[in-house]
Amino acid sequence: MTSSAAVREDAVEAYLAGGPTDFPVALRRTHVPRSAHKVKVEHRGGREQFECMDRAVRDERGALVYTWFQRTPIAE
């Protein structure tokens, strides 16, 4: 089992940009594994997918910017 301290050391702050207009503001700022190129977030019966296109792009608070690129359904 990984300790919470190890998880924090391997995580970076991310800002999830774009996507549906009703995507919750509270979900836009999150922590992701440092190596994550894509982030998937469940929303309204599907998965909103965000991708980090350029690790040099940061928001005004220094978070990596992940840009929405597609929505996929959740298989039932």
Side-chain angles (χ1 to χ4, degrees):
M1 180 178 237
T2 306
S3 74
S4 60
V7 171
R8 281 192 302 266
E9 286 176 16
D10 186 42
V12 295
E13 186 175 8
Y15 178 74
L16 308 179
T21 56
D22 67 339
F23 190 75
V25 173
L27 297 179
R28 291 204 178 268
R29 191 163 301 278
T30 188
H31 285 86
V32 300
R34 187 174 305 281
S35 61
H37 179 67
K38 295 180 180 177
V39 176
K40 298 176 184 179
V41 181
E42 290 188 16
H43 174 62
R44 284 191 297 116
R47 286 193 181 91
E48 305 303 336
Q49 297 188 38
F50 299 83
E51 183 174 22
C52 184
M53 303 298 279
D54 183 348
R55 295 191 74 78
V57 176
R58 306 281 178 144
D59 75 351
E60 67 279 353
R61 291 172 50 185
L64 282 174
V65 175
Y66 285 72
T67 305
W68 182 90
F69 72 96
Q70 73 179 353
R71 175 182 173 77
T72 55
I74 295 175
E76 293 189 27

